[in-house]
Amino acid sequence: MTYVLALVVLGLAFPWGASVAARRLAGVLPPREACWTLTAAAVLMACGTVAALTGLFHVPFLAALEQVPLARVLEVWPAAVPMACVAGAVMLVQLVLLVRRWFQHRSLLRRAWRSAAEGTGAGDLLVVPGSEVDAFALPGYQGRGGRIVVTSGMMRALRATEREVLLAHERAHLSGRHHLLSAVVDLSTTVHPAARSLRESLGFHLERWADEAAAAAVGDRKVAAAAIARAALAGASQKRRTGGGYPLLSVTTGPVPRRVEALLRPAPAAPQGGARQAGALGLATTAAALALAALAPAYGLHEYVEYAAVAVRGG
């Protein structure tokens, strides 16, 4: 029983260490690969937590399937039923929080589309009148394609080349469907709190991904860095009503000084040779460890019930 309990504790506690490993691995990868690594880690962490709780919740039911008397289960593990009740209650709370967060996302998206309805423009660009300095990538909604929403105040705050950087940045968010990655990690925080640190890290790397795309589009990293710094400075004194976070990703969010500093350095190259193999090995190791943490509790609990069944039949 100690072995099974240890597996359950591992499944619930492992995400704290895994989040640290995932963030460090993302730090040495190019922005796009870093984003996918963090998203995969968040999904596996959530799966591991659900697997551990599901295993605890199903102990009495597994025992019944194996024709093990509940009295025998309680004799070996007196806390089996209380732990199953706690696990069930936790999963119910997780479900409520998950549904609540999803509706919050949808509500924010509806409000953003309503606020953008007064905008004018061509193609994927909507310019909203007003003195507020803001810009964000607006995902598609109810059959409508994604749009780049920019206030006239933001347009006035930037030079022509800087506006080009801004639009390229927001287009990178839309074309890369960054809002989906952000949503997956954000929803994972309702399953395990360790995913919160991944959400913050993902936000930075998503912006870095879009920054690099914008710099490539204009062909000048210094111009891109200056545009991002100017846009962030122009909107720093204003309270954001819509942008900044899922599902609305903006050029002015995240640790802007770190992003500008990264743009003033040479473009990150995809890992080659030994570095590429080391990164792939690190990612594979992290994924394997997370998957093990997800499957071990359920497997251990199943083995425990099998062992108890054999013991009862033998007795």
Side-chain angles (χ1 to χ4, degrees), residues 179-265:
H179 62 284
L180 295 180
L181 301 182
S182 182
V184 168
V185 176
D186 187 55
L187 293 173
S188 297
T189 63
T190 64
V191 178
H192 200 291
R196 293 174 185 171
S197 62
L198 296 185
R199 180 176 58 188
E200 296 172 2
S201 182
L202 177 68
F204 169 70
H205 288 289
L206 285 174
E207 296 303 328
R208 284 283 301 118
W209 183 351
D211 288 346
E212 291 298 332
V218 299
D220 192 325
R221 298 180 66 80
K222 291 184 178 180
V223 169
I228 291 168
R230 184 184 293 271
L233 184 62
S237 60
Q238 300 189 21
K239 184 178 180 181
R240 304 182 65 82
R241 294 182 305 172
T242 49
Y246 176 81
L248 311 174
L249 299 168
S250 170
V251 70
T252 61
T253 58
V256 175
R258 286 177 58 196
R259 292 167 51 200
V260 171
E261 181 184 0
L263 282 172
L264 294 176
R265 297 194 300 264

Side-chain angles (χ1 to χ4, degrees), residues 89-201:
V90 170
M91 287 192 292
L92 180 60
V93 170
Q94 289 174 337
L95 178 60
V96 171
L97 292 176
L98 185 66
V99 172
R100 179 185 178 186
R101 183 67 60 86
W102 172 255
F103 279 106
Q104 287 175 343
H105 291 171
R106 304 300 292 179
S107 176
L108 177 58
L109 196 54
R110 283 195 301 271
R111 293 198 305 271
W113 270 101
R114 283 199 298 265
S115 69
E118 57 191 68
T120 59
D124 61 353
L125 176 62
L126 289 175
V127 179
V128 179
S131 60
E132 184 179 1
V133 180
D134 203 359
F136 54 89
L138 183 58
Y141 180 68
Q142 293 184 342
R144 292 172 287 188
R147 296 289 188 273
I148 300 169
V149 180
V150 184
T151 63
S152 55
M154 176 65 85
M155 298 293 280
R156 289 192 298 268
L158 302 179
R159 302 185 181 96
T161 54
E162 292 170 340
R163 289 196 291 270
E164 185 180 350
V165 172
L166 173 71
L167 298 180
H169 178 100
E170 302 302 346
R171 284 195 179 100
H173 281 319
L174 291 177
S175 63
R177 304 186 70 80
H178 294 174
H179 62 284
L180 295 180
L181 301 182
S182 182
V184 168
V185 176
D186 187 55
L187 293 173
S188 297
T189 63
T190 64
V191 178
H192 200 291
R196 293 174 185 171
S197 62
L198 296 185
R199 180 176 58 188
E200 296 172 2
S201 182

